[in-house]
Amino acid sequence: MRYISTRGQAPSLNFEDVLLTGLASDGGLYVPESLPKFSSEELVAMASMSYAELAHKVILPFVEEDVTSAELKVMVEETYAGFNHKAVAPLIQLDKNEWVMELFHGPTLAFKDFALQLLGRLMDHALVKRDKKLVIMGATSGDTGSAAIEGCRHSDHVELFILHPHERVSEVQRRQMTTLIGDNIHNIAVQGNFDDCQQMVKQSFADQSFLNGGQLGAVNSINWARIMAQIVYYFYAGVSLGAPHRSVSFSVPTGNFGDIYAGYIAMQMGLPVKQLVVATNANDILHRCMSGNHYVKHDLVRTLSPSMDIMVSSNFERLLFDLYDRNGDELAKLMANLNSGQANSLDTERWQKARQIFSSHKVDDDLTCDVIKQVAQQHNYLLDPHSAIGVEAGRVCNQHPEIPMITMATAHPVKFPDAVIKAGQAAPQLPQHLSDLLEREERCQILANDLGVVQAYISAHIQ
Ligand SMILES: *Cc1c(COP(=O)(O)O)cnc(C)c1O
């Protein structure tokens, strides 16, 4: 399988090069040139597979030129054996046709583990083969950082620099990053917001000279391999609840648009999906775009769902690429115009194409707490604030009450005790493997919101 850039200028690459390259050299994102498609018979067969078996089935076509079937089998088995629930991604029923898929049973208690536990293994496999080292730079709104550190910390081949916005992640999230101490792990708290961190990472890909010849890799969802791993659980949910005979809908708490984009890809690969609901918090540019074709950046605000405090959603570009008939030149122009503010909407016909699949809703902090409370009282089930936004958006946007609406529960409520307490619920206990988290030693460097300062720190700390 070949991968092409959304901006049409960078060379096409194979899987392993895409895995190690991150952002394309023209500033675009890599996507597969064409997608594998599963038949109804194959979907029927998926219903009886374990999570690891299904992951192998879905992922193999994307990687098979670089990773053998047997090697992939070992990687997915090891990855998902490390999850804390036998079903890996259990489905919980709240009501008739209202479901929650728990994606927080990995080591860091958020859905990012699904991709990053595998990504670490895939990268190691490629780097050992090539006898190469990789400097990884990642921006996190809270959950990617710890998941990336957990996924890469045992690798001798990667040096990991994680940028998080200073004082804008929850204490549990911060400690999950800063207490994982290792020679190849570097936590940087940037005195800015998530968009500042993400922008620094993208600029560093564009000019890597500060690495003195080193190569930069990505753990953010600009890396195709992350999307690829997340496609699996959409199939897992869909076939569990009746696909291919019955369609399903998903509501996805959305920040960088990576998770919901994986659902869109699952649909292109043959999963019968009726609706994809973009659930946002007060940082609602995607909701304004989806509902009113109005794409204008506002200032980022802090919310009780910090992992979604993102304005510029990288993966939205991958969807736009399809909406613009995969015309890289046209998309490069559109992205430049949207980013500079010269354009503030999509071409009407293309926007309407998106609306056939996607709907959206915005949920503010007060309503988020109300939903946590209501679901706790009525269904005896504790949602984290991100997942609560998903449930509410799924309810409001649901146009097909006869089919299952599945909300992706993206994090464990223990990561966000502030919202849980505000909702009048008892704060949950940290699981055993994290029970002493609040006492562990932290290691982190606070740096100015300045690309030069951050790059100088990185080049001084590469071993
Ligand atoms: C990362 C994250 C999101 C947003 O996912 P995207 O793929 O960036 O849209 C939502 N909820 C939680 C808990 C997250 O960690």
Side-chain angles (χ1 to χ4, degrees):
M1 182 176 293
R2 300 296 294 177
Y3 293 82
I4 55 174
S5 164
T6 50
R7 300 199 190 168
Q9 297 296 313
S12 73
L13 299 178
N14 64 8
F15 172 74
E16 221 161 61
D17 285 319
V18 167
L19 173 73
L20 299 178
T21 303
L23 201 64
S25 58
D26 55 7
L29 304 178
Y30 277 105
V31 291
E33 199 167 42
S34 64
L35 289 170
K37 221 170 152 110
F38 296 122
S39 65
S40 294
E41 294 74 45
E42 286 176 292
L43 290 183
V44 168
M46 284 178 184
S48 52
M49 290 182 185
S50 71
Y51 193 89
E53 286 166 345
L54 181 61
H56 182 266
K57 167 89 183 163
V58 172
I59 292 172
L60 188 62
F62 292 103
V63 305
E64 60 192 344
E65 274 131 52
D66 299 297
V67 183
T68 67
S69 171
E71 286 167 339
L72 181 65
K73 186 164 182 287
V74 173
M75 283 188 230
V76 292
E77 276 172 2
E78 282 178 5
T79 293
Y80 298 109
F83 279 55
N84 237 327
H85 195 290
K86 284 210 180 85
V88 182
L91 276 163
I92 310 294
Q93 185 163 24
L94 293 185
D95 215 327
K96 182 169 187 287
N97 286 337
E98 185 176 51
W99 296 80
V100 167
M101 177 166 246
E102 293 185 342
L103 298 177
F104 49 71
H105 294 285
T108 71
L109 313 178
F111 82 89
K112 307 291 200 296
D113 289 322
F114 277 83
L116 285 163
Q117 284 290 311
L118 183 63
L119 189 89
R121 290 178 166 86
L122 286 166
M123 279 184 167
D124 234 25
H125 174 263
L127 292 168
V128 168
K129 209 159 62 175
R130 296 174 181 213
D131 191 23
K132 270 191 88 167
K133 286 205 163 194
L134 198 61
V135 177
I136 290 180
M137 202 175 161
T140 182
S141 54
D143 295 323
T144 293
S146 53
I149 294 168
E150 275 289 351
C152 298
R153 67 182 174 140
H154 300 299
S155 172
D156 302 332
H157 299 266
V158 302
E159 192 91 27
L160 191 55
F161 293 85
I162 295 293
L163 281 55
H164 74 262
H166 185 45
E167 294 181 339
R168 287 171 184 247
V169 300
S170 80
E171 184 182 7
V172 173
Q173 286 182 310
R174 188 192 72 240
R175 286 180 165 275
Q176 281 185 301
M177 297 188 268
T178 58
T179 60
L180 287 171
I181 312 260
D183 291 342
N184 64 336
I185 296 168
H186 310 272
N187 278 290
I188 300 173
V190 174
Q191 291 172 316
N193 62 33
F194 173 77
D195 282 351
D196 297 324
C197 297
Q198 176 155 268
Q199 179 70 9
M200 281 190 198
V201 171
K202 285 192 171 174
Q203 285 174 332
S204 300
F205 272 95
D207 178 3
Q208 304 187 12
S209 55
F210 72 105
L211 294 176
N212 301 316
Q215 191 189 336
L216 201 59
V219 286
N220 283 107
S221 49
I222 56 176
N223 194 320
W224 169 262
R226 271 198 50 193
I227 307 292
M228 172 185 83
Q230 290 170 210
I231 299 166
V232 177
Y233 50 70
Y234 286 90
F235 278 101
Y236 196 58
V239 298
S240 299
L241 295 182
H245 311 297
R246 175 160 86 152
S247 298
V248 289
S249 294
F250 295 97
S251 177
V252 187
T254 295
N256 234 338
F257 206 74
D259 200 3
I260 195 163
Y261 175 75
Y264 163 81
I265 294 292
M267 184 178 171
Q268 310 302 311
M269 290 170 66
L271 186 69
V273 176
K274 206 55 139 207
Q275 276 188 275
L276 289 170
V277 178
V278 179
T280 78
N281 63 22
N283 298 296
D284 64 342
I285 186 169
L286 288 174
H287 169 57
R288 284 181 280 119
C289 183
M290 286 295 178
S291 61
N293 197 8
H294 194 56
Y295 188 96
V296 176
K297 290 175 223 168
H298 289 174
D299 286 340
L300 261 181
V301 297
R302 289 177 200 222
T303 70
L304 290 173
S305 43
S307 304
M308 288 153 61
D309 288 348
I310 294 174
M311 193 57 66
V312 183
S313 302
S314 295
N315 286 288
F316 196 48
E317 175 166 346
R318 286 187 161 120
L319 175 68
L320 292 175
F321 184 57
D322 281 0
L323 295 178
Y324 280 74
D325 301 320
R326 305 199 132 212
N327 182 332
D329 293 338
E330 210 181 324
L331 193 69
K333 263 183 246 152
L334 176 72
M335 293 313 296
N337 289 339
L338 288 177
N339 288 333
S340 67
Q342 270 178 299
N344 59 17
S345 61
L346 313 179
D347 172 75
T348 309
E349 247 172 63
R350 300 178 194 277
W351 173 69
Q352 279 164 347
K353 214 156 71 178
R355 298 255 298 172
Q356 289 169 9
I357 312 163
F358 290 94
S359 44
S360 68
H361 191 61
K362 158 196 170 170
V363 180
D364 68 16
D365 277 353
D366 285 345
L367 185 52
T368 302
C369 292
D370 288 348
V371 175
I372 293 174
K373 189 172 179 175
Q374 187 264 331
V375 170
Q377 288 176 344
Q378 202 144 13
H379 305 287
N380 194 24
Y381 184 76
L382 187 62
L383 291 163
D384 104 290
H386 306 79
S387 313
I389 290 172
V391 167
E392 176 65 13
R395 288 175 177 175
V396 172
C397 295
N398 194 345
Q399 291 154 6
H400 301 275
E402 75 284 4
I403 64 167
M405 172 65 75
I406 305 156
T407 293
M408 292 309 191
T410 47
H412 194 291
V414 76
K415 291 188 95 161
F416 305 97
D418 292 355
V420 171
I421 290 164
K422 252 196 167 138
Q425 308 303 306
Q429 296 286 307
L430 282 162
Q432 203 175 2
H433 75 282
L434 293 170
S435 57
D436 63 339
L437 185 70
L438 300 181
E439 285 96 58
R440 291 182 197 165
E441 178 201 349
E442 291 190 78
R443 203 177 288 174
C444 181
Q445 180 69 44
I446 301 168
L447 292 179
N449 183 10
D450 180 308
L451 182 64
V453 170
V454 170
Q455 289 187 339
Y457 180 86
I458 290 174
S459 78
H461 285 83
I462 296 172
Q463 291 162 16

